[in-house]
Amino acid sequence: MRVQASFLVLLIGLVSAPGVSEAEKVKTNAKAKIYSRPGEQGKVVAKVKEGQAMTVLAKEGRWLKVRVSGRTGYVPRSKVDMPDDEEIARNTRRRPFVDGRSTKRSFGGDSPDDRIGADATGDNESGNDDDAGDKDDDEKPSKASNSKGGRKPSKSSTSRGDDNEDDEGGDDEGDDDEPKGGDDEEIVDDRPKARVSAKTTVYAEPNKGSDKAFTASPNDLLFIESTRGKWTEVSVEEGDIGWIQTSKLDMDEGGGGSRKRVIDVRARLGFTLVSQTLTSPGGGGAWPDKYKVGSSSFAVSLGTGVVVPYKKDYLLGGEITYDLAMAVPGITFDPDGGGATGGPLPSSTTGFKIHQLNLRGVAGYDFHRPSGLAMFGRLGYHYNSFQVDNVQDLMKNSARLPSEIVRGPMVGLALAVPRVTDKIAFKITFDALLFGASVLQTKNLEDGANPTAKRINFGAGFVYRFNKSFDLNFAYDLNYASMTFGAPLMTSQRNHTGTGVERSDLNHTLAGGVIKAF
């Protein structure tokens, strides 16, 4: 019988012991503060928003010990949504007298004793466990008694009763007004954080043979808990914790994009559609005063860039890109517009190449979003060279197109979203050459005496994370140029007859390739 009784006592103790047997998740139903110990007198270690998921580590009366955002602390049960069978009844701290007793004082001793302060709320009774974790070390029950046997409220008991009005889980509004434990001070979170570049398994122990704890994705902000050899212990916002190989982590200083130096090399192949439209006000209605020519071309794009974090919020870097377009087959031109059955002048096909070089510096702001959203300003030098094959041979270059170089400073903006999803990144760019451009054309084939140019480049691209070695990159670029040349030159063989010359260029490029990051 003794053995059976001992076993029963042990079983009851295990069932009634505080805490949880497995990682239980709860969500806050309002903004809440996480305290270093049970009770609002504890130091505030974190603040969480409504709907924040947390991992429950233990249950202590009306307090839950939780882990969230890499922090461990205590939150009132009233601040979280618990299963119906886990709810606890409100205690009676707000009522000065015990239920069932008279609210009138008796001088003859016939009425039941009235109890106030700690005695009325049951704080001195061993059977009241709900608030056991809520007592401060300096809180003690009053020992003073009156002649009728009732207890007198002590000063500490009375003041404590006032404080506890906001301790009670049913009244959330008062929490933010209490000057508790340094609560007015801003909580500065300068703990180390990291991310992963692809979905990665996090293990329960620092070895691959242990159980899987959870899967970390690029959108997860990982809080560094500890390190052991080649392994790092990390946790996520909801409180899941485990071990991951340190080599798989990208350290993150601010919470948004990757907070380490990134160098990338990229190469793309594609095609470019090239068109030129020229008009000469006051001139004729056909070539050489008015025409439109164009061609498709094979495109190659190469580039490299570097971005490094600067302080907490900024990113600095630079890039260089080179684009080559080669006409396939070239510009087909019929001087008299008659085609195969037209005038005496034969049509011809003129080949060309376009070389475009951009050298720029970038400065960005990290918005510290899970997507890694960052905005960049861009300042650089633009060089564009349109080179006509056999430019001086007017039999092969029957359109008498000049070779041309446009160069000057370019300013622009870029918006980068490195983690649209676990696999996809996105970037858009806008650059403009609005002033300071120089234009140089083939001698004796100039369009005018005073050339000026303005250019606008728009780009959009996305990256697909193919594997750990390289990513796939697809991009669309639009280049538009508006050029004026002034009055025609008498020495030019372009033979314009109008009072001025204007031209617009429009190029569309679509290309795909690979990116290798270091």
Side-chain angles (χ1 to χ4, degrees), residues 315-351:
L315 301 165
L316 299 177
E319 66 176 5
I320 181 171
T321 63
Y322 169 73
D323 301 302
L324 170 66
M326 301 177 62
V328 180
I331 296 173
T332 300
F333 181 74
D334 185 357
D336 52 26
T341 60
L345 297 177
S347 62
S348 63
T349 300
T350 303

Side-chain angles (χ1 to χ4, degrees), residues 247-384:
S247 60
K248 297 183 180 295
L249 294 175
D250 294 337
M251 296 308 299
D252 186 308
E253 296 178 1
S258 177
R259 301 297 298 176
K260 67 176 185 178
R261 183 183 65 183
V262 176
I263 301 175
D264 69 82
V265 176
R266 50 194 178 272
R268 294 194 298 263
L269 299 177
F271 65 90
T272 299
L273 299 178
V274 178
S275 67
Q276 287 188 358
T277 302
L278 182 141
T279 60
S280 180
W287 182 89
D289 292 324
K290 185 176 181 180
Y291 65 84
K292 181 176 181 178
V293 295
S295 172
S296 60
S297 60
F298 173 74
V300 178
S301 179
L302 304 173
T304 184
V306 58
V307 174
V308 297
Y310 176 71
K311 296 186 177 179
K312 179 182 178 181
D313 298 324
Y314 303 102
L315 301 165
L316 299 177
E319 66 176 5
I320 181 171
T321 63
Y322 169 73
D323 301 302
L324 170 66
M326 301 177 62
V328 180
I331 296 173
T332 300
F333 181 74
D334 185 357
D336 52 26
T341 60
L345 297 177
S347 62
S348 63
T349 300
T350 303
F352 64 85
K353 298 181 182 67
I354 299 176
H355 304 270
Q356 185 169 272
L357 178 69
N358 287 290
L359 177 64
R360 61 174 63 94
V362 299
Y365 179 81
D366 186 348
F367 289 91
H368 303 296
R369 303 288 179 82
S371 63
L373 176 66
M375 177 73 78
F376 291 89
R378 294 148 62 97
L379 175 63
Y381 177 79
H382 173 78
Y383 175 91
N384 184 279

Side-chain angles (χ1 to χ4, degrees), residues 113-398:
D113 293 340
D114 57 334
R115 299 189 297 164
I116 61 177
D119 194 30
T121 60
D123 285 353
N124 289 336
E125 298 177 13
S126 60
N128 189 356
D129 295 331
D130 285 349
D131 299 313
D134 192 28
K135 297 182 183 300
D136 295 327
D137 294 338
D138 58 350
E139 179 186 353
K140 291 183 171 55
S142 170
K143 295 183 179 180
S145 303
N146 62 15
S147 59
K148 298 294 183 180
R151 295 185 182 275
K152 293 182 180 180
S154 68
K155 182 177 179 180
S156 62
S157 176
T158 302
S159 61
R160 179 61 180 168
D162 292 337
D163 287 344
N164 285 338
E165 286 195 11
D166 283 330
D167 285 353
E168 181 56 31
D171 217 354
D172 296 336
E173 292 81 5
D175 285 353
D176 291 335
D177 298 330
E178 298 177 4
K180 304 285 186 180
D183 189 19
D184 293 334
E185 298 180 3
E186 181 182 359
I187 299 176
V188 179
D189 191 351
D190 55 358
R191 295 168 299 156
K193 308 176 189 68
R195 292 184 185 273
V196 291
S197 58
K199 286 187 177 180
T200 306
T201 299
V202 181
Y203 298 92
E205 299 295 336
N207 64 79
K208 291 185 176 181
S210 62
D211 294 335
K212 172 183 174 181
F214 63 95
T215 299
S217 71
N219 287 331
D220 292 329
L221 184 60
L222 306 176
F223 298 90
I224 305 300
E225 303 286 351
S226 62
T227 59
R228 184 184 301 176
K230 297 180 179 180
W231 292 83
T232 298
E233 187 181 32
V234 298
S235 65
V236 293
E237 290 279 354
E238 293 80 3
D240 291 329
I241 192 169
W243 293 86
I244 189 173
Q245 288 180 301
T246 305
S247 60
K248 297 183 180 295
L249 294 175
D250 294 337
M251 296 308 299
D252 186 308
E253 296 178 1
S258 177
R259 301 297 298 176
K260 67 176 185 178
R261 183 183 65 183
V262 176
I263 301 175
D264 69 82
V265 176
R266 50 194 178 272
R268 294 194 298 263
L269 299 177
F271 65 90
T272 299
L273 299 178
V274 178
S275 67
Q276 287 188 358
T277 302
L278 182 141
T279 60
S280 180
W287 182 89
D289 292 324
K290 185 176 181 180
Y291 65 84
K292 181 176 181 178
V293 295
S295 172
S296 60
S297 60
F298 173 74
V300 178
S301 179
L302 304 173
T304 184
V306 58
V307 174
V308 297
Y310 176 71
K311 296 186 177 179
K312 179 182 178 181
D313 298 324
Y314 303 102
L315 301 165
L316 299 177
E319 66 176 5
I320 181 171
T321 63
Y322 169 73
D323 301 302
L324 170 66
M326 301 177 62
V328 180
I331 296 173
T332 300
F333 181 74
D334 185 357
D336 52 26
T341 60
L345 297 177
S347 62
S348 63
T349 300
T350 303
F352 64 85
K353 298 181 182 67
I354 299 176
H355 304 270
Q356 185 169 272
L357 178 69
N358 287 290
L359 177 64
R360 61 174 63 94
V362 299
Y365 179 81
D366 186 348
F367 289 91
H368 303 296
R369 303 288 179 82
S371 63
L373 176 66
M375 177 73 78
F376 291 89
R378 294 148 62 97
L379 175 63
Y381 177 79
H382 173 78
Y383 175 91
N384 184 279
S385 176
F386 179 82
Q387 297 297 315
V388 177
D389 295 344
N390 305 302
V391 64
Q392 298 287 3
D393 187 343
L394 299 187
M395 294 299 294
K396 295 181 179 179
N397 179 21
S398 60

Side-chain angles (χ1 to χ4, degrees), residues 33-44 60 62-63 74-76 93 131 133-136 160 164 167 178 180-181:
K33 301 163 189 170
I34 309 300
Y35 297 91
S36 60
R37 57 188 176 88
E40 281 85 347
Q41 295 292 343
K43 179 181 177 182
V44 177
E60 302 180 11
R62 76 178 188 90
W63 290 88
Y74 294 82
V75 64
R93 286 185 180 180
D131 299 313
D134 192 28
K135 297 182 183 300
D136 295 327
R160 179 61 180 168
N164 285 338
D167 285 353
E178 298 177 4
K180 304 285 186 180

Side-chain angles (χ1 to χ4, degrees), residues 415-436:
L415 182 70
V417 187
R419 286 181 293 278
V420 177
T421 67
D422 292 349
K423 290 288 188 179
I424 295 177
F426 180 73
K427 184 178 183 180
I428 57 176
T429 62
F430 179 83
D431 298 282
L433 194 167
L434 301 176
F435 55 88

